[in-house]
Amino acid sequence: MSRHRQLSLLATALVVVVGSFVIDLGTAQGESARTIGPTPPRLAFIDGEVSFWRPGAEDWTQARINMPLAAGDSLYTADGAHLELAIGRRAFVRTAPATKLDIASLETGYLQLELASGRAALDLKDLPEGQRVEVDTPQGAVTIDRAGYYRIDVDARTVVTTRRGGPATVIPIGGGSATDVAVEQQVILEGTEVASVSTHSAPGADAFDRWSRNRTTQLASGSRHRRYVSSDVAGVDDLDRAGTWRETRRYGRVWAPSGVAADWAPYTTGQWVWDGYYGWTWVDDAPWGWAPYHYGRWVWFDGWWGWAPGPIVVAPIYAPALVAFFGPVGVSVNIGIGFPFVSWVALGWGEPVFPWWGPVGFIGRPFWCGWGGPRFVNNVFINNRTIVNARNVTTFQNLGVRNAVTAVSRNQFGRGAVQSTRLTSAQTRGLQPIRGQLGVRPAARSLVAASGHAQRPPEWMQHRQVAATRSPQDPARSLRSAGLASATTKTAPLRLVQSTRRSGTSVAHARTTAPPAHTTRGSPAVASRAAAHPTVRGSTHAPASRSLASGAGHRPTAGRGFASAPPARGSARPPSSGRSFASRPSHPSRSTFARPSVSRPNRSFQPRASFGPSRPSSQPRASFGAPHSAMSGRRAGPAPRRSSGRG
């Protein structure tokens, strides 16, 4: 028999050993990859009293760090408070006190924010090619697609300043020309129906700018993680301050948290919240609890828990949690918390997740979110170009680890902090994996990560008009599909405003002057980009009759209503112009094409021992190639990035 024939028969035998259910990955897994939604912004830092509201919730609650944000979410910083959103590894949105910020739309490559009043700084050290951030204000929309530092102030007028990188583009209401805000320039928009535009030299940095700069410097101080984790994973800057990196023979570089209890295990100190797209999502209590719960895998090694990021990959895919869920096979499983119940355990090295989110055909199919390393099913190594019949996956590595499996009653799941019971090894033998949706309906309490009430923004601020280049996403549909109450469908009429510009001309800014206190100087600048069509949301006058009751699905309000512009100090407050956020027009599905996940060599990751008894010692090491590029039949490279050019 020829050597080639012998190798072919051996390869066939190995496939049979792994399982008769193994088939070629081909297009199927590639199509699954494209159903993955965008990576949500993370509420990364809170200083002072910060309030949070999600459509469908009963009231404003205290904001919690590590909360993944979705379209429709609102944040409010009270007097003296600050917050920070991480929208990328080196991209942050920060707000000053007395600021209301909304997530209007969230798609792959596109983030739409609303700044009704207050101050925001966008420190975008790194912005991938094709990424776009839009900030909608009462006087116009601001679009950003380049790395840089941008400051936006909104009160009775809108002030946009570019201090690094850029330019940003300002599209005013009332049909004015789009204006580019170049580095060290400032554009001021004034007016309620037609915004006048003036361009000036940027003033010096103030206390808010200095605070933002110090935050960025602090986050960039650590450097150890950069050798072990993909640059596209947010939250890894917190790891160096909260644990240590260790070298292991089996898993390469592994991060171990410091200061955890002796009986601690992953996914035990936090809670499950409901996201309209991703469904049940884990929010951990630890300040470092973002990257280790949405990327990589957890391993038990020599008596300690460690987070293994695996080989470095380009654009790793976010997951709402990386756990295996279980339910009891029968009533004979008695764990003392009632029946039925839900239990879960952190996924181990190379194990797949069974998605409980996404479209039909993706839910319940094994998928390696957040992972680019070798793949294991039932402790057996499989090739990257294979998929697995979910019904044949019955074993998970961490099931046998003491205190690793957590269980709660179904009627308590997703209703606040986990009050859990740890299962013993004997009890885990009676569990059946849940492959897909859990069958647990969310309640209004499931939408937020904190209990109780928090300070609400003023009513005029909640209903103030903003202008946008497109209508925001409407969370009402996902609320209804989950059995939650949605907001009223009554909304103020939309007003489309076209941004005019001269044909065939280059950028021509107005004369640059020092910024005035409250005067409009210069003429509108003519930008070189294509014209956009802002949509002004809200109304200039309050409806004759409008309910402002604080019920589920209604944005809670407080106090009397005011007009779209904030009241000046010492002046009477104008009438209200109510607007319901969740009653916006419907939008296309949030599912978009995901960026491919491609492995890069990880020099620190050199496993010297195979994992699992079923893998022959003579078998070659697992290939750390690009699983998703293999799906598409071509090798994908890292997305090109635009740098701001300065530190």
Side-chain angles (χ1 to χ4, degrees):
M1 183 180 295
S2 67
R3 178 70 172 173
H4 177 75
R5 178 65 175 169
Q6 290 176 340
L7 292 176
S8 298
L9 291 176
L10 177 60
T12 302
L14 288 175
V15 170
V16 173
V17 169
V18 172
S20 60
F21 48 84
V22 176
I23 64 175
D24 182 70
L25 182 64
T27 307
Q29 186 81 349
E31 291 176 351
S32 295
R34 291 194 291 267
T35 66
I36 299 297
T39 301
R42 168 204 181 198
L43 183 53
F45 177 80
I46 293 174
D47 179 22
E49 185 176 359
V50 179
S51 306
F52 171 78
W53 184 80
R54 172 166 287 178
E58 295 178 347
D59 202 351
W60 289 77
T61 63
Q62 292 183 353
R64 291 279 298 274
I65 60 170
N66 295 322
M67 182 71 177
L69 301 176
D73 290 351
S74 297
L75 293 159
Y76 174 67
T77 51
D79 291 342
H82 296 80
L83 68 80
E84 174 184 279
L85 305 185
I87 63 174
R89 171 70 178 273
R90 301 175 66 218
F92 305 95
V93 178
R94 302 183 177 107
T95 68
T99 299
K100 179 176 177 290
L101 184 71
D102 296 342
I103 310 296
S105 296
L106 176 62
E107 301 174 6
T108 300
Y110 177 72
L111 174 64
Q112 184 180 20
L113 305 172
E114 289 185 6
L115 184 63
S117 182
R119 295 173 291 162
L122 286 76
D123 194 349
L124 311 179
K125 288 282 190 178
D126 195 14
L127 196 63
E129 181 78 20
Q131 182 80 27
R132 182 186 180 191
V133 180
E134 176 177 329
V135 182
D136 300 332
T137 75
Q139 281 79 28
V142 183
T143 60
I144 300 168
D145 59 9
R146 290 176 172 83
Y149 182 89
Y150 308 92
R151 170 75 177 269
I152 304 175
D153 294 38
V154 177
D155 45 31
R157 60 182 186 170
T158 296
V159 181
V160 182
T161 307
T162 300
R163 298 195 181 279
R164 184 185 69 242
T169 300
V170 176
I171 308 170
I173 61 173
S177 298
T179 302
D180 280 351
V181 188
V183 64
E184 296 300 333
Q185 283 191 338
Q186 183 179 88
V187 167
I188 300 177
L189 306 179
E190 295 184 281
T192 57
E193 296 296 329
V194 177
S196 60
V197 182
S198 58
T199 304
H200 315 275
S201 298
D206 61 9
F208 180 46
D209 292 320
R210 290 189 291 271
W211 174 83
S212 180
R213 183 174 60 244
N214 291 338
R215 281 289 303 166
T216 301
T217 302
Q218 179 184 358
L219 293 173
S221 59
S223 60
R224 287 173 290 172
H225 63 268
R226 297 175 185 172
R227 293 174 289 172
Y228 319 133
V229 187
S230 168
S231 60
D232 293 293
V233 176
V236 295
D237 301 291
D238 302 316
L239 302 184
D240 289 343
R241 295 184 292 272
T244 57
W245 289 95
R246 305 181 185 182
E247 177 72 30
T248 66
R249 291 179 56 85
R250 180 171 295 176
Y251 308 115
R253 288 285 182 175
V254 174
W255 178 82
S258 303
V260 295
D263 61 346
W264 177 87
Y267 297 97
T268 58
T269 54
Q271 66 185 89
W272 295 97
V273 298
W274 179 263
D275 179 283
Y277 181 81
Y278 285 105
W280 293 113
T281 301
W282 180 259
V283 179
D284 201 78
D285 294 339
W288 48 264
W290 178 263
Y293 292 100
H294 303 290
Y295 304 92
R297 298 295 187 268
W298 283 94
V299 297
W300 176 258
F301 187 79
D302 288 344
W304 51 272
W305 282 104
W307 177 65
I312 295 178
V313 299
V314 175
I317 297 176
Y318 165 89
L322 290 164
V323 300
F325 282 109
F326 302 91
V329 176
V331 295
S332 59
V333 180
N334 182 12
I335 62 174
I337 62 172
F339 183 87
F341 63 88
V342 179
S343 57
W344 62 90
V345 68
L347 293 176
W349 176 261
E351 291 181 332
V353 64
F354 294 95
W356 53 89
W357 70 94
V360 175
F362 176 73
I363 297 175
R365 296 175 58 184
F367 196 73
W368 277 264
C369 291
W371 185 253
R375 300 180 177 186
F376 285 84
V377 172
N378 295 334
N379 288 337
V380 178
F381 168 79
I382 66 171
N383 189 276
N384 284 6
R385 292 182 60 83
T386 61
I387 61 174
V388 180
N389 188 327
R391 292 173 303 201
N392 293 314
V393 182
T394 58
T395 301
F396 293 86
Q397 299 163 24
N398 292 328
L399 274 177
V401 180
R402 185 174 180 269
N403 292 325
V405 184
T406 305
V408 298
S409 172
R410 277 183 176 267
N411 58 14
Q412 295 298 319
F413 182 87
R415 268 71 167 177
V418 171
Q419 303 295 328
S420 59
T421 297
R422 308 289 183 89
L423 302 190
T424 65
S425 297
Q427 290 171 330
T428 60
R429 288 194 288 269
L431 299 179
Q432 177 69 33
I434 299 176
R435 305 174 184 92
Q437 294 180 343
L438 307 186
V440 179
R441 284 276 189 172
R445 177 66 182 85
S446 307
L447 299 171
V448 295
S451 58
H453 303 283
Q455 182 175 345
R456 304 171 180 175
E459 185 179 341
W460 65 264
M461 191 181 293
Q462 296 192 57
H463 300 293
R464 193 179 184 190
Q465 298 180 29
V466 293
T469 64
R470 55 185 284 185
S471 297
Q473 293 174 330
D474 182 8
R477 181 178 179 182
S478 63
L479 290 173
R480 290 192 297 267
S481 63
L484 296 169
S486 60
T488 62
T489 57
K490 184 176 180 180
T491 182
L494 300 177
R495 185 178 66 176
L496 297 178
V497 181
Q498 172 144 9
S499 173
T500 60
R501 71 177 58 244
R502 301 172 188 172
S503 175
T505 58
S506 60
V507 176
H509 286 290
R511 185 192 311 183
T512 300
T513 63
H518 274 83
T519 60
T520 302
R521 299 181 62 181
S523 60
V526 180
S528 60
R529 300 187 185 181
H533 303 269
T535 299
V536 177
R537 297 189 293 276
S539 63
T540 56
H541 302 285
S545 175
R546 183 177 183 86
S547 173
L548 296 175
S550 299
H554 298 270
R555 182 186 300 274
T557 60
R560 299 182 59 188
F562 302 103
S564 59
R569 294 182 180 177
S571 63
R573 295 178 178 260
S576 174
S577 64
R579 176 172 65 85
S580 175
F581 185 96
S583 59
R584 294 167 173 161
S586 60
H587 61 88
S589 172
R590 186 169 155 184
S591 301
T592 53
F593 287 89
R595 294 178 292 175
S597 177
V598 184
S599 295
R600 290 199 299 259
N602 183 358
R603 301 185 184 276
S604 68
F605 180 78
Q606 300 293 338
R608 291 180 288 275
S610 62
F611 183 89
S614 301
R615 181 181 172 189
S617 58
S618 60
Q619 184 176 343
R621 290 180 181 175
S623 170
F624 298 153
H628 297 293
S629 61
M631 300 169 199
S632 60
R634 63 180 183 272
R635 184 174 184 83
R641 301 180 180 277
R642 292 180 176 176
S643 174
S644 62
R646 299 186 185 180

